[in-house]
Amino acid sequence: MKFERKDLPAGTPVVGMIGGGQLARMTQETAVALGIQLRVLAEGPTVSAAQAVADAPVGDYRDPETVRRFAAEADVVTFDHEHVPTELLHELEAAGIAVRPGPDALVHAQDKAVMRQRLDAFDAPAPAHQVVASRDDIADFAKRIGGFPIILKTTRGGYDGKGVWVAESAEDPVVDEAFAANVPILAEEKVDFVRELSAIVARSPHGQAVAYPIVESVQENGICVEVTAPAPGLAPDKAAQAQQTALRIAKELGVVGILAVEMFEARDGRLLVNELAMRPHNTGHWSIDGAVTSQFENHLRAVLDLPLGSPAARAPYTVMVNVLGGDDESTADMHYGLLHCLARDPGLKVHLYGKSVKPGRKVGHVTAYGDDLDDVRERARHAAAYLTGTIDE
Amino acid sequence: MKFERKDLPAGTPVVGMIGGGQLARMTQETAVALGIQLRVLAEGPTVSAAQAVADAPVGDYRDPETVRRFAAEADVVTFDHEHVPTELLHELEAAGIAVRPGPDALVHAQDKAVMRQRLDAFDAPAPAHQVVASRDDIADFAKRIGGFPIILKTTRGGYDGKGVWVAESAEDPVVDEAFAANVPILAEEKVDFVRELSAIVARSPHGQAVAYPIVESVQENGICVEVTAPAPGLAPDKAAQAQQTALRIAKELGVVGILAVEMFEARDGRLLVNELAMRPHNTGHWSIDGAVTSQFENHLRAVLDLPLGSPAARAPYTVMVNVLGGDDESTADMHYGLLHCLARDPGLKVHLYGKSVKPGRKVGHVTAYGDDLDDVRERARHAAAYLTGTIDE
């Protein structure tokens, strides 16, 4: 490491984040402000967060010795992604290293079957679900819940729409695809939903917790593309219910740090838990510019057991739109696009992740805020579309 | 350098900042967000900004070869301080390197005599002043402006109250001290002022400029300790006049980046220019949490000739108080103090600079914002006093 403890002012907390993607990069913004030394275990020497921190050793997060060595030099270990093997994290804990969230919590974000089972135990609202191992299981499940279509998901390893299928029948060819994934498969009710919501909470080791305003998220092809904070028109009792559900899950599972609970607002009025993430989450990026304390700052405060900051929104509406890599060569240089976007909208906040453009890849996001939702949304959408290359004026 | 251009996404701007203090460190927060690669030429391997960036070569900013080599790897060179020799910057410019602000502008922030002369040329409002080389000059000057006391200043190298004296007579022993500094000495009228104000503007190479709200700053022993944005009770026409003065100076001097103009609000109603700084300035730190676009972001945008962001305040009042190192051993660990401050005030924004505590040293700042000035001020003052160690509850 370039910075040993002796090189830092007395008491400087050292946080080791496993994974060097944009979440680690955005965490660095707030680490720098708070005087926290953030180190990332990077997938390669030039990944997103490695460009932004002083110490970013390259190593494989599946290799016990690499992770042990990295962890030994930090006050606390936390994550940019949820893929570190649970057993390895148990080993670190046994060796006295603070792992936050710990493996007993994290497993619920790693394994959807474990998550469903655990949430059922305290009656958290969820779509009907069942682990399936055969076409017969699938047929039985569909029969039990009133028929097809149903959702099939890999219990581990899925993200951004990967590892999720809609089956129209037990004979649907996607069933073969799902079983070919070679991990247990979870069948779920295909919820008839009005929209998707996300409840983000932060929780610290001694149990302090804060809940961000409930947001609406729009997904396309399984990728989050747009988030509006707060969710427009959501009844206050529903918003409170969603926050309480997330706070309950954080407590029951012993989460430390950020917990994101993605939910369906079903047409019949139910709020159903869809997915969990235990790290800063795409549906919380609005909070960097839109909340008193960003999800990244509260994640750092939580894992260091510092008092949490206010999650209150700073503006009536904040809209975040992801910038995805375009298909067009002309969008490869993101910074060229800035000239237009920043000139058009002096209030726009642009975030670029230091990632090369590939079609559909999340390379940044833009945020707008203000009093008028239509205006705020138009500003954010326009800038993202321009940077992505889907519009050219 | 760890990050060569080939390691960064297409079009990534590389900004080289000379000096690795807290201004460079805070610039990194916004560089990370905007996908800009910030490199600092550091005074040592562990200085404030070196802890926060991927590339921080150590070198002497007075050494031409060091600075040339550093500059050659950046799209633009800018500054954490104003001490780089003007001749060296002229050389860089002659070699085709973008130096922003350029030496022709920067000299006015380096040399107070040059600044006074230039500002007189376009009748910018200033205290009476004269370069003095002897006790007779001092006596003549005092006679011309109506008598002692007068201010003596070194024309170069002063900061945070160093290089400034109040002379009660031509025989005052401080006169010897001033002349012993071995740089030309400027005598100035001792302005009878109500308070100090600061006007911060950003200006880009093609002449776009924005003006931040005028703030009130409180100095103790020549060090800025507290800033309130906007300056309470300042008449709108006076605020506009202060902004126009700063915009005029930025234009006349060809400043690129942030220009801070410290002013006296004199008891007779005049607004008089006291000092200039051409870099993000202590009186602009409130803008990180208090404005749509921080001074650090607008400095980066300006030096890269990107469109400037809105300088508007986000809250009715924002108060920033510096955290100075305390005399007491118990305050050496700043992070310990955070537990209390953050628990007391979930809306508080704390900024620590990664600097070891020494008595009186600026090691961080705190910011509070809200609708009620008294409350906002109390929150910020309390947190700073606690972290400094002057109160313990």
Side-chain angles (χ1 to χ4, degrees):
Chain A
M1 297 282 180
K2 205 153 73 178
F3 283 89
E4 313 275 341
R5 281 185 191 284
K6 65 173 173 50
D7 301 323
L8 299 166
T12 301
V14 177
V15 174
M17 190 171 253
I18 297 183
Q22 66 262 31
L23 301 179
R25 183 181 174 106
M26 287 185 266
T27 304
Q28 167 70 345
E29 296 174 33
T30 188
V32 170
L34 286 172
I36 292 165
Q37 195 64 13
L38 183 71
R39 294 168 175 176
V40 305
L41 182 61
E43 295 80 359
T46 65
V47 295
S48 176
Q51 296 166 30
V53 301
D55 279 314
V58 174
D60 185 342
Y61 60 82
R62 291 161 304 192
D63 177 58
E65 190 44 38
T66 300
V67 174
R68 270 195 294 266
R69 211 175 320 122
F70 179 75
E73 301 196 54
D75 293 308
V76 56
V77 171
T78 188
F79 309 96
D80 167 86
H81 58 69
E82 288 130 347
H83 308 318
V84 185
T86 322
E87 314 78 65
L88 180 44
L89 297 177
H90 277 297
E91 256 185 65
L92 296 181
E93 277 201 332
I97 289 165
V99 179
R100 294 174 177 166
D104 290 335
L106 198 62
V107 66
H108 301 92
Q110 294 175 320
D111 189 311
K112 294 184 177 67
V114 173
M115 180 270 278
R116 286 292 181 216
Q117 193 176 11
R118 183 77 185 86
L119 265 58
D120 285 349
F122 57 92
D123 292 325
H129 57 88
Q130 182 184 315
V131 174
V132 290
S134 67
R135 286 186 192 277
D136 285 349
D137 284 357
I138 289 174
D140 288 348
F141 174 71
K143 198 170 162 192
R144 174 160 77 81
I145 66 163
F148 288 95
I150 63 162
I151 302 290
L152 298 176
K153 288 178 173 176
T154 56
T155 49
R156 284 183 169 260
Y159 69 99
D160 279 358
K162 292 183 180 67
V164 180
W165 300 269
V166 179
E168 301 290 342
S169 73
E171 287 71 42
D172 194 318
V174 301
V175 173
D176 291 326
E177 264 185 69
F179 286 133
N182 264 326
V183 289
I185 296 298
L186 189 70
E188 288 186 359
E189 164 193 4
K190 184 169 188 298
V191 177
D192 178 20
F193 60 85
V194 183
R195 58 178 170 177
E196 295 189 61
L197 302 174
S198 178
I200 291 188
V201 298
R203 185 172 175 277
S204 66
H206 68 273
Q208 192 201 359
V210 295
Y212 283 86
I214 302 301
V215 301
E216 174 181 322
S217 77
V218 178
Q219 316 275 323
E220 277 174 19
N221 305 316
I223 298 178
C224 168
V225 293
E226 182 176 310
V227 170
T228 303
L234 186 65
D237 63 324
K238 279 242 178 112
Q241 185 191 328
Q243 287 180 321
Q244 281 156 16
T245 296
L247 288 167
R248 177 83 195 276
I249 294 173
K251 184 184 173 193
E252 293 285 346
L253 272 49
V255 176
V256 172
I258 291 288
L259 168 72
V261 181
E262 293 184 274
M263 298 182 186
F264 296 119
E265 185 179 14
R267 203 167 302 278
D268 61 15
R270 295 174 301 163
L271 291 179
L272 302 171
V273 174
N274 180 23
E275 308 262 0
L276 304 186
M278 292 182 198
R279 50 171 170 75
H281 190 254
N282 202 160
T283 57
H285 291 357
W286 70 274
S287 65
I288 301 173
D289 302 301
V292 173
T293 314
S294 80
Q295 65 166 347
F296 298 97
E297 179 169 348
N298 265 335
H299 186 74
L300 280 178
R301 291 200 197 186
V303 302
L304 289 167
D305 210 3
L306 287 167
L308 301 175
S310 165
R314 293 194 68 177
Y317 289 104
T318 304
V319 174
M320 185 244 34
V321 182
N322 277 338
V323 177
L324 305 180
D327 299 322
D328 187 337
E329 282 278 306
S330 71
T331 63
D333 178 350
M334 277 289 144
H335 289 272
Y336 182 77
L338 282 184
L339 279 172
H340 175 79
C341 290
L342 298 180
R344 186 180 190 267
D345 185 353
L348 185 75
K349 305 312 291 181
V350 176
H351 300 260
L352 296 176
Y353 303 157
K355 297 169 90 166
S356 298
V357 169
K358 291 179 193 168
R361 184 186 206 190
K362 288 179 190 171
V363 293
H365 73 264
V366 295
T367 305
Y369 52 80
D371 302 331
D372 178 336
L373 177 57
D374 290 339
D375 174 62
V376 168
R377 195 174 258 163
E378 191 280 330
R379 287 165 53 207
R381 284 181 184 169
H382 184 280
Y386 187 86
L387 289 169
T388 297
T390 52
I391 57 173
D392 64 358
E393 63 181 348
Chain B
M1 296 282 181
K2 205 154 73 179
F3 285 88
E4 312 276 340
R5 281 185 192 283
K6 66 172 172 51
D7 301 322
L8 300 165
T12 301
V14 177
V15 174
M17 190 170 253
I18 296 182
Q22 66 261 32
L23 302 178
R25 183 181 173 106
M26 288 185 265
T27 304
Q28 167 71 343
E29 297 175 33
T30 190
V32 170
L34 286 172
I36 292 165
Q37 195 63 14
L38 182 72
R39 294 168 177 177
V40 306
L41 182 61
E43 294 79 0
T46 65
V47 295
S48 176
Q51 297 166 27
V53 302
D55 279 314
V58 174
D60 184 343
Y61 60 81
R62 292 159 303 193
D63 177 57
E65 189 45 36
T66 300
V67 174
R68 268 195 295 268
R69 212 177 316 122
F70 178 75
E73 302 196 54
D75 293 309
V76 56
V77 170
T78 187
F79 309 96
D80 166 88
H81 59 68
E82 288 131 345
H83 308 317
V84 185
T86 321
E87 315 78 63
L88 180 44
L89 298 177
H90 277 297
E91 257 184 66
L92 295 181
E93 278 200 332
I97 289 165
V99 178
R100 292 171 178 169
D104 290 334
L106 197 63
V107 67
H108 301 92
Q110 295 175 319
D111 189 311
K112 293 185 176 67
V114 173
M115 182 269 278
R116 287 291 180 217
Q117 192 175 11
R118 183 77 184 87
L119 265 57
D120 285 350
F122 56 93
D123 292 325
H129 57 88
Q130 182 183 314
V131 174
V132 289
S134 65
R135 289 187 190 277
D136 284 351
D137 284 355
I138 289 173
D140 288 349
F141 174 72
K143 195 169 169 196
R144 172 160 77 83
I145 65 164
F148 287 94
I150 63 163
I151 302 290
L152 298 177
K153 288 178 175 177
T154 55
T155 50
R156 286 183 169 259
Y159 69 99
D160 279 357
K162 293 183 179 66
V164 180
W165 300 267
V166 179
E168 301 291 342
S169 72
E171 287 70 42
D172 194 318
V174 302
V175 172
D176 290 324
E177 264 186 69
F179 286 132
N182 264 326
V183 289
I185 296 297
L186 189 69
E188 289 187 357
E189 165 192 3
K190 185 169 188 296
V191 177
D192 178 19
F193 61 85
V194 183
R195 58 178 170 177
E196 294 189 61
L197 301 174
S198 177
I200 291 189
V201 298
R203 185 172 176 276
S204 66
H206 68 275
Q208 191 202 355
V210 295
Y212 283 85
I214 301 302
V215 301
E216 174 181 322
S217 76
V218 178
Q219 318 273 324
E220 276 174 19
N221 305 318
I223 297 179
C224 168
V225 292
E226 181 176 310
V227 170
T228 303
L234 186 64
D237 63 322
K238 279 241 177 114
Q241 184 192 329
Q243 288 181 320
Q244 281 155 17
T245 297
L247 289 167
R248 177 83 195 275
I249 294 173
K251 184 184 172 192
E252 293 286 346
L253 270 48
V255 177
V256 171
I258 291 288
L259 169 72
V261 182
E262 294 183 273
M263 298 182 185
F264 297 120
E265 185 180 13
R267 205 168 300 278
D268 61 14
R270 294 174 301 163
L271 292 179
L272 301 172
V273 174
N274 181 22
E275 306 265 359
L276 303 187
M278 291 183 198
R279 49 169 172 75
H281 191 256
N282 202 161
T283 58
H285 292 355
W286 70 275
S287 65
I288 300 174
D289 302 301
V292 174
T293 314
S294 79
Q295 65 167 347
F296 298 97
E297 179 169 349
N298 265 336
H299 186 75
L300 280 178
R301 291 199 197 189
V303 301
L304 288 166
D305 210 3
L306 285 168
L308 302 176
S310 165
R314 292 194 69 177
Y317 288 104
T318 304
V319 173
M320 186 240 40
V321 182
N322 278 339
V323 177
L324 306 180
D327 297 324
D328 187 339
E329 282 278 307
S330 71
T331 63
D333 179 350
M334 277 288 144
H335 290 272
Y336 182 77
L338 283 184
L339 278 172
H340 175 79
C341 292
L342 298 180
R344 185 179 192 266
D345 185 353
L348 185 75
K349 306 310 291 180
V350 175
H351 301 260
L352 296 177
Y353 303 156
K355 296 169 93 165
S356 298
V357 170
K358 291 179 195 168
R361 186 186 204 191
K362 287 180 190 170
V363 292
H365 73 266
V366 296
T367 306
Y369 52 81
D371 302 332
D372 178 335
L373 176 57
D374 289 339
D375 175 60
V376 168
R377 196 173 259 163
E378 191 279 330
R379 288 166 51 206
R381 283 180 184 170
H382 184 279
Y386 187 86
L387 289 170
T388 297
T390 51
I391 57 174
D392 62 0
E393 60 183 350

PDB file of all heavy atoms in Angstrom, chain A residues 135 148 168-176:
ATOM      1  N   ARG A 135     -39.265 -29.584 -14.758  1.00  0.00           N
ATOM      2  CA  ARG A 135     -40.448 -29.066 -15.452  1.00  0.00           C
ATOM      3  C   ARG A 135     -41.714 -29.355 -14.644  1.00  0.00           C
ATOM      4  O   ARG A 135     -42.661 -28.560 -14.643  1.00  0.00           O
ATOM      5  CB  ARG A 135     -40.574 -29.722 -16.830  1.00  0.00           C
ATOM      6  CG  ARG A 135     -39.553 -29.187 -17.820  1.00  0.00           C
ATOM      7  CD  ARG A 135     -39.792 -29.732 -19.222  1.00  0.00           C
ATOM      8  NE  ARG A 135     -38.628 -29.425 -20.049  1.00  0.00           N
ATOM      9  CZ  ARG A 135     -38.456 -28.237 -20.647  1.00  0.00           C
ATOM     10  NH1 ARG A 135     -39.360 -27.287 -20.543  1.00  0.00           N
ATOM     11  NH2 ARG A 135     -37.380 -28.024 -21.360  1.00  0.00           N
ATOM     12  N   PHE A 148     -49.613 -19.721 -15.844  1.00  0.00           N
ATOM     13  CA  PHE A 148     -48.491 -19.007 -16.462  1.00  0.00           C
ATOM     14  C   PHE A 148     -48.976 -17.649 -16.920  1.00  0.00           C
ATOM     15  O   PHE A 148     -50.194 -17.434 -16.990  1.00  0.00           O
ATOM     16  CB  PHE A 148     -47.946 -19.855 -17.649  1.00  0.00           C
ATOM     17  CG  PHE A 148     -47.193 -21.075 -17.195  1.00  0.00           C
ATOM     18  CD1 PHE A 148     -47.849 -22.313 -17.097  1.00  0.00           C
ATOM     19  CD2 PHE A 148     -45.857 -21.003 -16.869  1.00  0.00           C
ATOM     20  CE1 PHE A 148     -47.157 -23.444 -16.686  1.00  0.00           C
ATOM     21  CE2 PHE A 148     -45.163 -22.142 -16.462  1.00  0.00           C
ATOM     22  CZ  PHE A 148     -45.824 -23.369 -16.376  1.00  0.00           C
ATOM     23  N   GLU A 168     -43.635 -19.058 -20.380  1.00  0.00           N
ATOM     24  CA  GLU A 168     -45.061 -19.038 -20.749  1.00  0.00           C
ATOM     25  C   GLU A 168     -45.722 -20.393 -20.499  1.00  0.00           C
ATOM     26  O   GLU A 168     -46.956 -20.500 -20.498  1.00  0.00           O
ATOM     27  CB  GLU A 168     -45.223 -18.653 -22.227  1.00  0.00           C
ATOM     28  CG  GLU A 168     -44.637 -17.285 -22.591  1.00  0.00           C
ATOM     29  CD  GLU A 168     -45.435 -16.122 -21.984  1.00  0.00           C
ATOM     30  OE1 GLU A 168     -46.597 -16.330 -21.580  1.00  0.00           O
ATOM     31  OE2 GLU A 168     -44.862 -15.002 -21.887  1.00  0.00           O
ATOM     32  N   SER A 169     -44.876 -21.419 -20.347  1.00  0.00           N
ATOM     33  CA  SER A 169     -45.392 -22.764 -20.077  1.00  0.00           C
ATOM     34  C   SER A 169     -44.238 -23.590 -19.531  1.00  0.00           C
ATOM     35  O   SER A 169     -43.083 -23.130 -19.551  1.00  0.00           O
ATOM     36  CB  SER A 169     -45.919 -23.409 -21.368  1.00  0.00           C
ATOM     37  OG  SER A 169     -44.805 -23.766 -22.189  1.00  0.00           O
ATOM     38  N   ALA A 170     -44.536 -24.787 -19.069  1.00  0.00           N
ATOM     39  CA  ALA A 170     -43.470 -25.663 -18.563  1.00  0.00           C
ATOM     40  C   ALA A 170     -42.571 -26.131 -19.696  1.00  0.00           C
ATOM     41  O   ALA A 170     -41.444 -26.578 -19.473  1.00  0.00           O
ATOM     42  CB  ALA A 170     -44.062 -26.859 -17.815  1.00  0.00           C
ATOM     43  N   GLU A 171     -43.079 -26.014 -20.931  1.00  0.00           N
ATOM     44  CA  GLU A 171     -42.297 -26.473 -22.089  1.00  0.00           C
ATOM     45  C   GLU A 171     -41.531 -25.321 -22.747  1.00  0.00           C
ATOM     46  O   GLU A 171     -40.817 -25.510 -23.731  1.00  0.00           O
ATOM     47  CB  GLU A 171     -43.207 -27.128 -23.128  1.00  0.00           C
ATOM     48  CG  GLU A 171     -43.728 -28.502 -22.732  1.00  0.00           C
ATOM     49  CD  GLU A 171     -44.755 -28.411 -21.602  1.00  0.00           C
ATOM     50  OE1 GLU A 171     -45.617 -27.506 -21.649  1.00  0.00           O
ATOM     51  OE2 GLU A 171     -44.642 -29.215 -20.655  1.00  0.00           O
ATOM     52  N   ASP A 172     -41.702 -24.132 -22.237  1.00  0.00           N
ATOM     53  CA  ASP A 172     -41.035 -22.958 -22.822  1.00  0.00           C
ATOM     54  C   ASP A 172     -39.522 -23.224 -22.911  1.00  0.00           C
ATOM     55  O   ASP A 172     -38.916 -23.694 -21.940  1.00  0.00           O
ATOM     56  CB  ASP A 172     -41.317 -21.742 -21.926  1.00  0.00           C
ATOM     57  CG  ASP A 172     -40.973 -20.414 -22.600  1.00  0.00           C
ATOM     58  OD1 ASP A 172     -39.918 -20.356 -23.263  1.00  0.00           O
ATOM     59  OD2 ASP A 172     -41.754 -19.475 -22.466  1.00  0.00           O
ATOM     60  N   PRO A 173     -38.889 -22.929 -24.068  1.00  0.00           N
ATOM     61  CA  PRO A 173     -37.441 -23.178 -24.212  1.00  0.00           C
ATOM     62  C   PRO A 173     -36.593 -22.436 -23.167  1.00  0.00           C
ATOM     63  O   PRO A 173     -35.481 -22.873 -22.863  1.00  0.00           O
ATOM     64  CB  PRO A 173     -37.117 -22.652 -25.618  1.00  0.00           C
ATOM     65  CG  PRO A 173     -38.418 -22.592 -26.331  1.00  0.00           C
ATOM     66  CD  PRO A 173     -39.487 -22.408 -25.319  1.00  0.00           C
ATOM     67  N   VAL A 174     -37.093 -21.338 -22.590  1.00  0.00           N
ATOM     68  CA  VAL A 174     -36.298 -20.626 -21.586  1.00  0.00           C
ATOM     69  C   VAL A 174     -36.088 -21.493 -20.346  1.00  0.00           C
ATOM     70  O   VAL A 174     -35.158 -21.264 -19.564  1.00  0.00           O
ATOM     71  CB  VAL A 174     -36.913 -19.263 -21.156  1.00  0.00           C
ATOM     72  CG1 VAL A 174     -37.070 -18.349 -22.356  1.00  0.00           C
ATOM     73  CG2 VAL A 174     -38.220 -19.445 -20.412  1.00  0.00           C
ATOM     74  N   VAL A 175     -36.937 -22.490 -20.151  1.00  0.00           N
ATOM     75  CA  VAL A 175     -36.765 -23.388 -19.001  1.00  0.00           C
ATOM     76  C   VAL A 175     -35.421 -24.122 -19.109  1.00  0.00           C
ATOM     77  O   VAL A 175     -34.678 -24.237 -18.128  1.00  0.00           O
ATOM     78  CB  VAL A 175     -37.939 -24.388 -18.893  1.00  0.00           C
ATOM     79  CG1 VAL A 175     -37.665 -25.429 -17.803  1.00  0.00           C
ATOM     80  CG2 VAL A 175     -39.244 -23.649 -18.627  1.00  0.00           C
ATOM     81  N   ASP A 176     -35.115 -24.559 -20.336  1.00  0.00           N
ATOM     82  CA  ASP A 176     -33.810 -25.207 -20.546  1.00  0.00           C
ATOM     83  C   ASP A 176     -32.667 -24.236 -20.253  1.00  0.00           C
ATOM     84  O   ASP A 176     -31.682 -24.581 -19.608  1.00  0.00           O
ATOM     85  CB  ASP A 176     -33.691 -25.701 -22.002  1.00  0.00           C
ATOM     86  CG  ASP A 176     -34.633 -26.870 -22.270  1.00  0.00           C
ATOM     87  OD1 ASP A 176     -34.844 -27.673 -21.332  1.00  0.00           O
ATOM     88  OD2 ASP A 176     -35.170 -26.964 -23.389  1.00  0.00           O
TER      89      ASP A 176
END
